[in-house]
Amino acid sequence: MTNNTNTTQTTTAAQTTTAAQTTTAAQTTPAPRLNFAKAAPKAFKALIGFDAAARDGLDPALVELIQIRASLLNGCAYCLHMHTSDARKAGEDEARLHMVGVWREARNFFTEKEQAALALTESVTLVAQGGIPDDVYVEATRHFDEAELARVLALIFTINTWNRIALSTAKVAGEDERVAH
């Protein structure tokens, strides 16, 4: 009886180990996914146009902070890598980049306008968790005129769409498809 129990336990342990190894292998080697830009070129081009229109006239540092915060919230490593790299190239301070994820605890790193944009980014990105609180919206209106606020919202919409495209198509962090090879 003890022998059968030990055999069963050994077999179960071996199956568990094999299943864990299979799961780990599947996590490190994602199945090939479609290239969204090639599969839906009109939609991709329209999104690029929407993104460009959203950025028009906004402070480039603010643009990157918004994109970094949304990418952090969405868990999009591809976009996070891209936008932190872009921010560095544009001269963004390394310390500020480290603080974006904890900006509420590190307010001294960000202007009131940036804080308002980051709070709005969080609310829009996590809209299903409670909508856009009035106080967040009112604070944003204190720092942005109507046209600028509309562009900030459009930018938040676009980065959330880019995050979903990158996550759905398993984009790999560190690869930048904007750079010609």
Side-chain angles (χ1 to χ4, degrees), residues 144-178:
F144 301 98
D145 66 30
E146 193 170 88
E148 194 175 25
L149 180 58
R151 290 192 311 276
V152 166
L153 285 167
L155 181 67
I156 298 167
F157 303 156
T158 60
I159 188 56
N160 275 281
T161 301
W162 288 123
N163 289 164
R164 282 152 178 76
I165 290 169
L167 290 165
S168 299
T169 61
K171 296 290 182 202
V172 176
E175 295 179 4
D176 189 342
E177 294 178 355
R178 301 173 300 174

Side-chain angles (χ1 to χ4, degrees), residues 29-96:
T29 312
R33 306 259 177 116
L34 67 83
N35 179 322
F36 185 80
K38 288 182 181 176
K42 287 183 182 179
F44 189 77
K45 187 174 181 177
L47 185 55
I48 288 172
F50 185 47
D51 188 281
R55 296 164 182 266
D56 189 39
L58 293 178
D59 174 16
L62 181 68
V63 168
E64 295 306 330
L65 291 175
I66 288 169
Q67 293 179 125
I68 290 166
R69 185 65 187 130
S71 298
L72 280 165
L73 291 168
N74 287 321
C76 184
Y78 178 82
C79 292
L80 182 60
H81 182 269
M82 179 184 298
H83 294 296
T84 54
S85 295
D86 289 350
R88 283 183 190 96
K89 288 175 192 169
E92 182 60 78
D93 182 64
E94 196 69 29
R96 282 172 35 103

Side-chain angles (χ1 to χ4, degrees), residues 3-20:
N3 217 6
N4 286 342
T5 302
N6 288 341
T7 302
T8 302
Q9 290 172 343
T10 302
T11 302
T12 303
Q15 291 169 340
T16 302
T17 301
T18 302

Side-chain angles (χ1 to χ4, degrees), residues 68-69 72 96-105 122:
I68 290 166
R69 185 65 187 130
L72 280 165
R96 282 172 35 103
L97 293 178
H98 291 292
M99 295 296 126
V100 173
V102 292
W103 69 270
R104 290 179 193 282
E105 292 78 26
E122 289 177 359

Side-chain angles (χ1 to χ4, degrees), residues 91-127:
E92 182 60 78
D93 182 64
E94 196 69 29
R96 282 172 35 103
L97 293 178
H98 291 292
M99 295 296 126
V100 173
V102 292
W103 69 270
R104 290 179 193 282
E105 292 78 26
R107 290 179 184 270
N108 57 309
F109 283 86
F110 305 98
T111 67
E112 287 185 10
K113 185 174 187 172
E114 290 168 338
Q115 291 175 44
L118 291 168
L120 187 61
T121 300
E122 289 177 359
S123 293
V124 173
T125 301
L126 304 172
V127 69

